[in-house]
């Protein structure tokens, strides 16, 4: 009977060959939120421990909010300080994070008041918020009498910036040998299909100019095209006559999911605002609304919102309302509300109140713009809606 001999060197190699490794990686997911406090003087006297709170915002997958205590948080300070805290609003436990609370210098001298947790992270480490409602901040953020004579308070307004870095730990199980997957190039391939002069089966005719396309592609992108091509049109209908549209830009988006790379087409000049509806971007917005392309509409809204100003807001507001561009309309309303001069309580208007009566109370740059006069003459209901937004009243008025 033979006996197998054990080779020590083989055992050693076998043990070494079974070694594995892993790596723990802790990183931060950062984000910031700016909290603007208008009418600071009106918040004084709320009482110690009373606060005003920002809207919730998301950083690192968690909800947060900034709490400002105008009379302080601690009774023993006897309202000598303002207090600022950031609170966890998610129903989560043991969230570890670093914080930075900055009072912004509104006089543009660059002397920000900064309370930063980041600079002490090596010595004291991140702070752990154990559950929903847990707070981090400063009871004695700033002495109130110094604040009220500082550059941080201007036109009765304060701005607080909060930066949060949430700690996220994970096990890095990536392999040494990896294969890099390139970004999708499907848009380029469909773009080449658009340039193909032989395989098209439908033609757009605009002002005597023809643009070729493919029914299947158009139907896949738009339910309106799908209905038009496969339910309503006859099979032998190969040409679609359209007016008041930008077919080249529309087809470019349908096939490539991007806008034309021609900045001049999207630029607006102040002299064009009265005829904004005739601009390139307005026609593209109209096409997005007509053919059910919400992403195209959002792209157009994003471009238009960058041109919102005192002179243009009324024109853009009317355009947004006409084409059901809800995001753009909301931004116009917010801009108008922020550009009304002064803080006024809501008035109770009598049935015979007039626009001129309201204007005596609210002298605002938006109301005196040409665009507001345009709304007054052409879209009185929209003018009332925009004015009501700025004034902040809920009742309708003449």
């Amino acid at each position: 009977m033979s006996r197998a001999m054990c080779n020590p060197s083989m055992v050693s190699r076998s043990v070494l060959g079974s070694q594995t490794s892993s790596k723990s990686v802790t990183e931060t997911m950062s984000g910031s939120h700016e909290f603007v406090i208008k009418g600071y003087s009106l918040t004084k006297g709320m009482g110690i421990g009373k606060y005003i709170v920002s809207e919730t915002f998301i950083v690192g997958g968690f909800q947060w909010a900034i709490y400002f205590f105008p009379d302080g948080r601690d009774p023993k300070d006897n309202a000598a300080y303002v207090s600022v805290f950031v609170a966890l609003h998610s129903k989560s436990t043991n969230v570890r994070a670093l914080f930075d609370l900055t009072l912004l210098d509104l006089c543009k001298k660059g002397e920000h008041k900064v309370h930063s947790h980041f600079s002490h992270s090596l010595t004291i480490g991140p702070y752990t918020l154990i559950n929903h409602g847990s707070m981090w901040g400063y009871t004695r953020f700033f002495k109130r009498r110094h604040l009220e004579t500082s550059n941080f308070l201007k036109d009765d307004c304060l701005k607080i910036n909060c930066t949060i870095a949430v700690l996220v730990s994970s096990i890095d199980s990536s392999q040494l040998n990896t294969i890099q997957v390139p970004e999708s190039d499907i848009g380029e391939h469909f773009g080449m299909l658009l340039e193909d002069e032989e395989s098209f089966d439908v033609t757009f005719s605009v002002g005597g100019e023809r643009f070729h396309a493919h029914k299947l592609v158009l139907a896949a992108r738009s339910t309106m095209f799908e209905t038009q091509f496969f339910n309503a049109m006859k099979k032998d209908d190969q040409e679609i006559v359209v007016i008041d549209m930008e077919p080249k830009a529309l087809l470019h988006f349908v096939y490539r999911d991007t806008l034309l790379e021609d900045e001049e087409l999207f630029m607006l000049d102040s002299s064009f605002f009265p005829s904004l509806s005739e601009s390139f971007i307005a026609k593209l917005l109209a096409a997005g609304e007509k053919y059910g392309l919400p992403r195209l509409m959002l792209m157009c809204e994003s471009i238009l919102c960058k041109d919102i100003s005192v002179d243009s807001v009324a024109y853009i507001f009317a355009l947004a309302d006409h084409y059901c561009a809800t995001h753009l309309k909301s931004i116009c309303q917010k801009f108008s509300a922020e550009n009304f001069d002064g803080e006024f309580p809501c008035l109770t208007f009598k049935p015979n109140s007039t626009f001129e009566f309201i204007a005596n109370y609210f002298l605002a740059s938006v109301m005196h713009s040409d665009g507001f006069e345009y709304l007054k003459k052409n879209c009185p209901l929209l003018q009332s809606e925009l004015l009501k937004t700025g004034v902040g009243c809920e009742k309708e008025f003449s």
Side-chain angles (χ1 to χ4, degrees), residues 1 3 50-51 75 81 109 142 154 160 191 193 303-304 364 392 395:
M1 183 176 181
R3 180 178 295 178
K50 305 288 185 176
Y51 57 80
Y81 293 85
K109 295 184 178 180
F142 206 113
K154 182 181 179 182
I160 300 172
L193 182 63
I303 293 172
L304 284 165
K395 293 187 176 182

Side-chain angles (χ1 to χ4, degrees), residues 22 37 48 71 94 128 132 143 200 216 255 283 383 387:
S22 61
I37 300 169
I48 297 171
D71 293 324
N94 300 319
T128 301
H132 176 272
K143 187 162 277 190
F200 69 90
L216 282 176
Y255 280 77
K283 291 182 179 180
Q383 180 217 38
L387 181 59

Side-chain angles (χ1 to χ4, degrees), residues 70-91:
D71 293 324
R73 190 184 182 196
D74 196 332
K76 69 182 180 182
D77 289 329
N78 198 26
Y81 293 85
V82 297
S83 305
V84 182
F85 285 79
V86 56
L88 176 66
H89 268 221
S90 294
K91 295 181 179 179

Side-chain angles (χ1 to χ4, degrees), residues 374-386 397-398:
Y374 168 83
L375 284 185
K376 183 179 179 181
K377 295 177 181 178
N378 300 281
C379 314
L381 292 179
L382 284 182
Q383 180 217 38
S384 296
E385 183 178 346
L386 194 63
F397 48 86
S398 302

Side-chain angles (χ1 to χ4, degrees), residues 269-278 311-312 315 370-371 374 378:
D269 187 274
S270 59
S271 61
F272 295 154
F273 288 144
S275 57
L276 180 62
S277 60
E278 300 299 318
D311 295 323
S312 68
Y315 297 112
D370 292 337
Y374 168 83
N378 300 281

Side-chain angles (χ1 to χ4, degrees), residues 90-390:
S90 294
K91 295 181 179 179
S92 305
T93 58
N94 300 319
V95 178
R96 301 176 69 231
L98 296 167
F99 303 92
D100 182 296
L101 287 168
T102 305
L103 195 57
L104 301 181
D105 176 10
L106 299 183
C107 293
K108 309 298 183 182
K109 295 184 178 180
E111 299 176 358
H112 301 322
K113 178 71 173 179
V114 181
H115 289 285
S116 180
H117 190 193
F118 289 80
S119 58
H120 306 295
S121 60
L122 290 177
T123 55
I124 63 176
Y127 186 79
T128 301
L129 295 101
I130 59 175
N131 53 31
H132 176 272
S134 296
M135 289 186 172
W136 178 93
Y138 293 89
T139 302
R140 296 183 175 183
F141 186 78
F142 206 113
K143 187 162 277 190
R144 202 165 73 173
R145 63 185 178 87
H146 292 162
L147 171 63
E148 292 169 2
T149 58
S150 71
N151 292 329
F152 305 114
L153 183 65
K154 182 181 179 182
D155 298 329
D156 209 24
C157 177
L158 292 174
K159 285 187 180 180
I160 300 172
N161 187 79
C162 174
T163 300
I164 303 174
V166 177
L167 274 68
V168 179
S169 297
S170 61
I171 298 297
D172 184 2
S173 58
S174 60
Q175 301 295 320
L176 291 178
N177 298 320
T178 60
I179 297 176
Q180 186 68 33
V181 179
E183 295 293 329
S184 171
D185 59 355
I186 188 171
E188 295 182 13
H189 287 285
F190 272 86
M192 294 171 61
L193 182 63
L194 181 61
E195 297 171 2
D196 185 356
E197 294 290 334
E198 297 181 358
S199 62
F200 69 90
D201 55 4
V202 66
T203 301
F204 287 88
S205 178
V206 186
E209 191 173 3
R210 296 171 178 271
F211 299 87
H212 303 311
H214 307 79
K215 292 181 180 178
L216 282 176
V217 176
L218 296 172
R221 297 283 273 155
S222 165
T223 55
M224 180 174 177
F225 279 130
E226 180 183 13
T227 300
Q228 186 172 2
F229 293 146
F230 299 106
N231 295 335
M233 283 184 65
K234 298 178 181 179
K235 291 186 178 181
D236 57 349
D237 288 340
Q238 302 293 325
E239 183 171 296
I240 303 173
V241 179
V242 294
I243 59 174
D244 196 28
M245 194 186 78
E246 297 293 343
K248 184 177 180 181
L250 175 64
L251 293 175
H252 182 95
F253 169 80
V254 167
Y255 280 77
R256 295 181 179 270
D257 205 37
T258 61
L259 296 180
L260 284 172
E261 295 180 0
D262 190 340
E263 294 183 3
E264 292 186 2
L265 291 175
F266 300 100
M267 291 179 63
L268 294 178
D269 187 274
S270 59
S271 61
F272 295 154
F273 288 144
S275 57
L276 180 62
S277 60
E278 300 299 318
S279 67
F280 178 88
I281 187 66
K283 291 182 179 180
L284 197 56
L285 177 67
E289 193 263 344
K290 178 179 179 180
Y291 293 105
L293 298 168
R295 176 173 164 80
L296 176 59
M297 289 189 65
L298 282 176
M299 287 180 170
C300 295
E301 290 180 67
S302 176
I303 293 172
L304 284 165
C305 78
K306 295 176 182 178
D307 285 294
I308 293 177
S309 65
V310 168
D311 295 323
S312 68
V313 63
Y315 297 112
I316 295 177
F317 181 71
L319 186 73
D321 180 79
H322 184 71
Y323 293 117
C324 303
T326 55
H327 295 85
L328 182 61
K329 185 176 178 180
S330 176
I331 292 175
C332 289
Q333 290 173 313
K334 182 178 179 181
F335 178 89
S336 298
E338 292 176 350
N339 281 272
F340 271 81
D341 297 336
E343 298 279 343
F344 295 93
C346 180
L347 298 178
T348 302
F349 295 103
K350 298 179 181 179
N352 61 348
S353 297
T354 63
F355 170 78
E356 288 75 14
F357 172 78
I358 300 168
N360 288 332
Y361 283 89
F362 301 97
L363 302 176
S365 52
V366 171
M367 289 172 58
H368 292 141
S369 67
D370 292 337
F372 205 77
E373 286 298 316
Y374 168 83
L375 284 185
K376 183 179 179 181
K377 295 177 181 178
N378 300 281
C379 314
L381 292 179
L382 284 182
Q383 180 217 38
S384 296
E385 183 178 346
L386 194 63
L387 181 59
K388 186 171 67 171
T389 300

